[in-house]
Amino acid sequence: MILPPATLGMLGGGQLGRFFVAAAHEMGYRVWVLDPDAHSPAGQIAERHVRAGYDDYAALDEFAAGCEAVTTEFENVPAGTLDYLAKFIPVRPAAAAVAVCQDRIAEKSFLRDNCLPHGPFAVIRSDDDIRRADAALFPAILKVARFGYDGKGQATVGTREEALLAFGHFKGEPCVLEQRLPLDYEVSVVLTRDENGEIRCFPTGENRHTRGILDVSIVPAPAAGGADDGAAAVAARIAERLGYIGTMGVEFFVSGGRLIVNEMAPRPHNSGHYTLDACVTDQFEQQVRALCGLPLGEARAHSAAVMVNLLGDLWYDGEHYREPDWARLHAVPNLKLHLYGKHHARPGRKMGHFTVIGTDAAGVQAVALAARAAIGIRDQ
Ligand code: ADP
Ligand code: MG
């Protein structure tokens, strides 16, 4: 066990890293953050911000010398970086598990090879792969295999011709071509697995996306008792097969009443932010516990919760850039506001979120959606 006041390392300085730093501080640890961005949200509050790239081996040496264990909040950390650090200190999750989650081709192949539910897809490495793809995949979505997020690196394609065009736009990057599924709704499971193989799943939430970005998470999932009943079991099987240690998120579609794995994230997940305010232990404290070899905490929700993401769009009133009217949110009972300390708001950039908690799920949802409208988020 790694106990306080040990120093922990975090690769990546975004909001997920920032919440990890806060949780670790609360528990008596020190944290170093490695991130190239001078203004990184996590770097701002860590004991030390090592401003370097993930492939800067001199910086990694320094990091390994100063930290007792290291984890990641950024799924695109090169596997080589994790493998290198693992020569000196524990790295959780391991490079091999992260590698599966950071490449859609590896991810889909993993699901197929382990008989886990996934949608129809084809691996696309050349124009010929598109010409050969099963006609039943169309209408489809072409997704770059690596470095996509929040709907970026994706194109909806109705036909083979459109897929060829989109593949050209992606400059021939390896892709997966997925059948576009009619979605009943989407859910996700955030869980933590420790070094002994013990798994704690947080309650399944329903997620609503706007323009490919998570907008609202509702817990318990209103459709609970439906097709998403098995989601926690499937997510746990994924974590086991990956030999995963740490907190991870698994996104699911429910399509035609069937549960289908969409994608996995080898880190805490945006849809798990509700755990900060509604669970006995939150997803970031669990990440600290798994990293340090502590027993996992209770993942039970003590409240119903609705989380609403606050994107940079909110800072723009037409052409005019201004701070949103936070006082309106602070006036709402049982609403907890979290802002990530990002320097500049850009449309689509995740700047913060709020969560409304309470005992009555329908009431919580009504309050959260009213607060969402009051702060100026419009339905698209
Ligand atoms: P990201 O890495 O950006 O989260 P996802 O693959 O999760 O990428 O896609 C973002 C959203 O786009 C999904 O949550 C879902 O709403 C929609 N989407 C993605 N793939 C499909 C699909 N095959 N069929 C229908 N909708 C999809
Ligand atoms: Mg997703």
Side-chain angles (χ1 to χ4, degrees):
M1 262 189 226
I2 298 168
L3 293 169
T7 299
L8 308 176
M10 169 52 77
L11 300 172
Q15 64 270 18
L16 302 175
R18 183 177 170 105
F19 283 121
F20 171 90
V21 175
H25 280 169
E26 205 52 41
M27 296 166 79
Y29 294 94
R30 303 186 175 120
V31 188
W32 288 15
V33 167
L34 186 112
D35 189 299
D37 175 7
H39 302 296
S40 84
Q44 287 169 32
I45 65 166
E47 269 73 12
R48 188 131 181 246
H49 176 189
V50 178
R51 255 174 74 186
Y54 300 105
D55 54 355
D56 177 337
Y57 284 80
L60 294 179
D61 281 339
E62 198 186 329
F63 212 64
C67 301
E68 289 191 41
V70 66
T71 188
T72 172
E73 63 108 43
F74 174 56
E75 67 200 57
N76 293 318
V77 172
T81 297
L82 299 174
D83 274 332
Y84 182 74
L85 287 169
K87 291 187 196 158
F88 310 107
I89 48 173
V91 174
R92 293 164 174 165
V98 173
V100 171
C101 305
Q102 65 187 191
D103 182 315
R104 291 187 195 273
I105 296 173
E107 188 173 53
K108 294 271 194 267
S109 308
F110 166 86
L111 294 171
R112 186 189 51 210
D113 296 346
N114 287 285
C115 301
L116 292 157
H118 59 280
F121 74 99
V123 173
I124 305 297
R125 296 183 197 277
S126 67
D127 286 356
D128 273 347
D129 290 334
I130 295 178
R131 293 193 190 99
R132 275 196 297 263
D134 189 343
L137 288 176
F138 295 96
I141 304 185
L142 187 72
K143 302 181 180 178
V144 292
R146 300 209 53 184
F147 303 113
Y149 69 100
D150 288 346
K152 294 189 178 64
Q154 301 194 7
T156 47
V157 289
T159 61
R160 217 178 278 279
E161 292 64 42
E162 285 177 25
L164 285 165
L165 265 178
F167 187 57
H169 286 311
F170 293 149
K171 301 188 167 56
E173 278 280 316
C175 287
V176 294
L177 185 69
E178 292 184 21
Q179 186 179 67
R180 207 186 309 158
L181 299 164
L183 305 186
D184 306 344
Y185 54 96
E186 296 182 67
V187 296
S188 60
V189 174
V190 177
L191 62 76
T192 314
R193 183 172 178 274
D194 73 11
E195 59 189 357
N196 304 313
E198 169 122 17
I199 293 175
R200 297 277 164 87
C201 294
F202 291 104
T204 303
E206 180 179 327
N207 302 319
R208 299 189 183 156
H209 296 82
T210 302
R211 284 178 280 129
I213 308 178
L214 182 65
D215 181 357
V216 175
S217 288
I218 305 169
V219 185
D228 50 300
D229 269 358
V234 172
R237 207 153 2 115
I238 289 173
E240 268 160 21
R241 298 280 161 87
L242 287 173
Y244 195 90
I245 303 178
T247 296
M248 72 179 297
V250 181
E251 299 176 14
F252 295 89
F253 300 141
V254 177
S255 174
R258 262 184 6 112
L259 189 67
I260 289 167
V261 177
N262 170 26
E263 60 170 354
M264 294 104 77
R267 47 167 175 76
H269 194 263
N270 191 175
S271 70
H273 286 357
Y274 82 88
T275 64
L276 286 163
D277 300 305
C279 291
V280 179
T281 312
D282 67 66
Q283 60 171 348
F284 304 99
E285 179 177 342
Q286 292 290 59
Q287 186 183 22
V288 174
R289 286 172 172 268
L291 178 62
C292 295
L294 310 181
L296 297 180
E298 176 85 48
R300 181 173 56 84
H302 50 68
S303 298
V306 172
M307 190 246 13
V308 176
N309 262 344
L310 300 169
L311 303 182
D313 310 60
L314 208 51
W315 272 247
Y316 294 86
D317 183 9
E319 293 294 286
H320 184 56
Y321 184 92
R322 48 108 183 91
E323 199 69 18
D325 182 6
W326 302 126
R328 283 187 99 118
L329 291 182
H330 286 304
V332 179
N334 301 307
L335 183 151
K336 309 284 276 188
L337 176 63
H338 301 265
L339 295 173
Y340 306 152
K342 294 189 183 177
H343 268 221
H344 191 76
R346 276 192 316 270
R349 191 177 196 200
K350 289 173 178 167
M351 301 296 292
H353 73 268
F354 67 79
T355 302
V356 177
I357 59 171
T359 47
D360 162 40
V364 167
Q365 200 174 322
V367 171
L369 295 182
R372 178 177 170 281
I375 194 72
I377 304 175
R378 276 172 286 278
D379 283 311
Q380 304 274 331

